[in-house]
Amino acid sequence: MIRDHNPQLARARHLLFMPDLFNYFLTGIKQSEFTFASTSQLLNPRTQSWDNEILAALGLSPAIMQDIRMPGTDIGPLLDSVCAKTGLESTLVRAVGSHDTASAVAAIPATDSNFAYISSGTWSLMGFESREPVITALAQKLNFSNEGAVDGGFRVLKNVTGLWLLQECRRCWSHDGQTLTYEELVRHAEQAEPFRTVLDPDNPSFTNPADMTMAIAESCRTCGEPHPENTGQLVRSILESLALAYRHTLGQIKEIRAAPVERIHVIGGGSQNDLLCQMTADATGLPVIAGPKEATAIGNILVQAMAAGEVEGLADLRRIVRESFPPKLYAPIVDRRWDDAYGRFQKLKQATDERS
């Protein structure tokens, strides 16, 4: 808007992000929730307040920014007009981790802090928790961001391409009349030859191709990897390559994190994929704890309960998640073929980095 000299910005008196706008419609109160504000690139993570230097560089007035509110606190009561239109009785609207990954990570059933996590879906958000932001040259080089957590700490994470590749292949197959459930696709993959084809899921050619199956075939041709010849081989190559990408990102996490990483928690829709979870354990050599699949909704609800005084902080919230949604454990199985496959993956990753 600044670059394009948008006249709306010149007339604006208040800036609200989308979650804050909905809360304003419900309560009439203008505020900015911390976890979402932390993704705006306008927040100083050290002070947890708006960064006036950045605002000045953009020519934005600090006056249009709202006070920052932490998750697990009350925003205010529903407006009388909302109650009248909906038939609801007056009730408090409470701040949650309005960034979906913030709510999801809150619902990790962890018992300590020595873990990395993967919020697994179309994207894989992989990272760790930290009381303080990690702002170093190495973290910047490795493309990690500092996003707010519901307890006021930080989710130090990076985006890894997730099940997008499989989703897009499935869409292509459906256009050809081949309708397969994810369970059927996994069964095909289980029967396919392991470690036949390695991909770099973050290859830019996979970002939004017209036909993902053709994009993968072209990538294999370019990189010298064997082309998957059937559905099972293609699905297995995607899942194995995701597990290798997680191993790669785990290595980066260990470079920038002071504390040890003893396990990986997988939450979200991808936590239901038994084969991918086992591959992740095998590729990384760490136990994988999977679930809950609906982590975002669960974290949202329990942070509201925290605001209401029914949950006594994040540790209590996670205890409730463990007891309500028992996680599934995948112990790593030693197979040296993962090391060979990872060597191939690293060469592909280096080639991708050089091209970008």
Side-chain angles (χ1 to χ4, degrees), residues 24-82:
Y24 170 68
F25 288 154
L26 292 172
T27 66
I29 296 171
K30 302 183 184 79
Q31 51 85 47
S32 282
E33 187 274 317
F34 169 64
T35 68
F36 206 90
S38 72
T39 68
S40 69
Q41 302 187 70
L42 301 175
L43 190 81
N44 184 320
R46 289 196 175 98
T47 64
Q48 298 190 7
S49 59
W50 301 117
D51 194 306
N52 288 331
E53 184 178 358
I54 293 176
L55 295 176
L58 292 170
L60 276 175
S61 169
I64 72 170
M65 309 305 291
Q66 311 305 308
D67 290 341
I68 294 171
R69 188 182 300 270
M70 298 303 297
T73 59
D74 293 336
I75 297 174
L78 280 177
L79 291 168
D80 291 341
S81 58
V82 175

Side-chain angles (χ1 to χ4, degrees), residues 22 25 33 38 46 64 116 166 193 197 201 226 248 270 281 303 327 339 343:
F22 283 108
F25 288 154
E33 187 274 317
S38 72
R46 289 196 175 98
I64 72 170
L166 184 56
E193 177 187 352
T197 302
H248 179 74
V303 171
D339 295 336

Side-chain angles (χ1 to χ4, degrees), residues 118-334:
I118 303 171
S119 182
S120 177
T122 302
W123 284 95
S124 294
L125 292 306
M126 188 168 182
F128 61 95
E129 293 183 313
S130 176
R131 289 311 309 166
E132 302 296 329
V134 179
I135 304 175
T136 63
L138 180 58
Q140 180 188 31
K141 177 183 176 182
L142 298 178
N143 202 27
F144 280 80
S145 61
N146 292 276
E147 300 183 4
V150 300
D151 64 346
F154 291 88
R155 296 170 289 118
V156 184
L157 60 83
K158 69 183 301 182
N159 284 20
V160 180
T161 302
L163 291 165
W164 164 253
L165 277 71
L166 184 56
Q167 292 164 352
E168 283 296 286
C169 286
R170 185 169 178 256
R171 183 177 65 83
C172 294
W173 292 323
S174 68
H175 288 167
D176 295 334
Q178 187 181 10
T179 304
L180 295 169
T181 67
Y182 285 109
E183 290 77 11
E184 290 170 328
L185 292 175
V186 167
R187 284 198 295 271
H188 282 296
E190 288 172 336
Q191 297 164 11
E193 177 187 352
F195 308 109
R196 184 179 184 276
T197 302
V198 175
L199 310 168
D200 175 11
D202 288 326
N203 188 317
S205 66
F206 301 150
T207 300
N208 192 24
D211 186 316
M212 183 64 78
T213 61
M214 295 300 295
I216 290 174
E218 177 60 21
S219 173
C220 290
R221 186 192 67 78
T222 302
C223 299
E225 284 287 324
H227 169 245
E229 296 177 350
N230 55 51
T231 301
Q233 289 180 359
L234 183 49
V235 175
R236 188 171 191 107
S237 70
I238 290 172
L239 298 182
E240 287 178 344
S241 299
L242 287 178
L244 292 168
Y246 299 153
R247 173 170 170 168
H248 179 74
T249 306
L250 177 65
Q252 295 178 330
I253 288 172
K254 290 179 177 179
E255 287 188 72
I256 64 172
R257 175 182 162 97
V261 179
E262 297 174 350
R263 65 193 69 84
I264 298 172
H265 281 274
V266 179
I267 52 176
S271 68
Q272 302 174 90
N273 192 318
D274 288 329
L275 183 57
L276 178 56
C277 289
Q278 186 62 59
M279 286 178 172
T280 301
D282 298 346
T284 62
L286 291 178
V288 166
I289 302 168
K293 63 180 181 180
E294 297 293 350
T296 295
I298 293 164
N300 181 309
I301 291 167
L302 289 176
V303 171
Q304 293 185 59
M306 193 160 61
E310 301 292 335
V311 175
E312 299 175 359
L314 185 60
D316 191 33
L317 186 158
R318 288 177 166 169
R319 174 191 60 79
I320 294 169
V321 174
R322 287 194 301 274
E323 294 176 358
S324 304
F325 308 93
K328 187 171 182 178
L329 174 65
Y330 299 83
I333 300 169
V334 177

